[in-house]
Amino acid sequence: MIDYYEVKSQPITRVMVWQAYRKVRANKGAAGIDHMGWQDLEQDLPRQLYKLWNRLSSGSYFPKPVREVVIGKKGGGERRLGIPTILDRIAQEVVRAHLERVVEPLFHKDSYGYRPGRSCHQAVGKLSERAQCHDWAIDLDIRSFFDTIDHELLLQAVRHYCPDKWVLLYIGRWLQAGIVQQDGTALDRLTGTPQGGVISPLLANVFLHVAFDKWMEKHHPGKPFERYADDVVVHCKSEKQAQYVLASIRSRVEACKLQLHPDKTRIVHLRGTSEKKYPRSLDFLGFTWRPHWRQTSKGMRLMVSHFISTKSISSVLHKLSRMHIHRWRKPLEEVAQVLRPVIQGVINYYCRFWSSHTHYLWLQLNTRLLKWAKWEKGLPMREAVRWMRKRYREKPGLFPHWQLVRP
């Protein structure tokens, strides 16, 4: 009889490995430097997982280097991801699940990134609430955060909350695992934890919990903030307060061997007047907060509200442009079937609180659909408009965005 709860020198059971496999398998993901895909693993699954458990539980497990993948950022530039092998991701999930149970109850209530039961929308809602009573905000951007985390400080933070030797052993080995670049060059990693690893977001939260969250709670308890991973917004009541808090945070960040981005970190003046000119808008999690006049029961009032950001609009329109909708030679129902997941995803995220700020985006999509009708049906533009409006009357729910902006 197989004992799935059998342990060796390290307190890791076979059940922990199988549970980690199911979690990682559900998230899918690409192969690492060994080119082992999910189909390759599942052809020999029991033996592979037994070998992994045997090495983890005996302390003889050593991870392979990660495979570097470069992707573009919304605002330009590149983000470098490190993709571990599938077996290394399963091993990371074993440690992550154990470490999360220890540290999750200790995390700050205003930390929202990569936490169970927490979401971007909660952070957006809290920022909107606090922007109504705080005229100033500090938009913090840590330069190359995941690439510059100090390994020694990170292990100290983990050790403070979770002294289990096997957890520290394997985290240390993952941090020191090298990187294989796209040209095949192998590099040693002296700092940072690769984005793309299963455990990296949790390690980042542990580090920032000590470096920022607890420090703010102790030294600036009256300054509320929202943090989503390394994206942080701090609220202040006055210009002098914002300047003082930013200088204090900069010193703290440098003491933790990190740097604030000199261009992206800034003080934002959301409402009111000041002698010095400051930015009047704030970007966070794909939204922009800026002051605008709104009709209320007490008349017109200057409010701070969130809108879909310019970068987000450009990103969605760029995705639609690459799809070349006007070239599709297929019925409108099939066009709707392909576009529906994209449209619904945008609506679910950006229209959670209100939707009129996305109207420009849907007008642009309707223009592309009219162009498709013009090419597909061989109609002049006026006839294409009539034809599309007729289809709307017949099936108003064909495209999800038609409920927000009619064709």
Side-chain angles (χ1 to χ4, degrees), residues 21-31 38 83 86 89 198:
Y21 157 74
R22 294 189 185 99
K23 180 71 178 292
V24 176
R25 182 68 178 90
N27 295 331
K28 300 181 181 179
W38 288 106
I83 309 300
I86 290 177
R89 293 208 293 277
V198 171

Side-chain angles (χ1 to χ4, degrees), residues 329-332 372-380 384 387 391:
R329 304 279 74 87
K330 58 181 68 175
L332 186 62
W372 168 87
K374 182 180 176 182
W375 282 43
E376 172 67 13
K377 304 300 179 181
L379 300 172
W387 184 86
R391 297 308 304 271

Side-chain angles (χ1 to χ4, degrees), residues 12 56 61-63 91-100 103 149-159 161-177 189 192-194 198-200 202-204 206:
I12 301 172
L56 284 170
Y61 162 77
F62 285 88
Q92 287 187 21
E93 175 58 26
V94 171
V95 178
R96 189 207 65 79
H98 176 80
L99 180 60
E100 184 179 73
V103 299
I149 297 177
D150 184 79
H151 290 172
E152 183 178 349
L153 292 179
L154 175 56
L155 287 173
Q156 285 181 17
V158 174
R159 188 182 297 112
Y161 295 110
C162 183
D164 296 337
K165 292 183 179 180
W166 65 278
V167 171
L168 296 169
L169 172 70
Y170 291 133
I171 290 177
R173 289 179 183 177
W174 285 316
L175 292 176
Q176 294 171 6
R189 188 191 301 115
T193 178
V198 171
I199 201 170
S200 295
L202 181 59
L203 294 180
V206 172

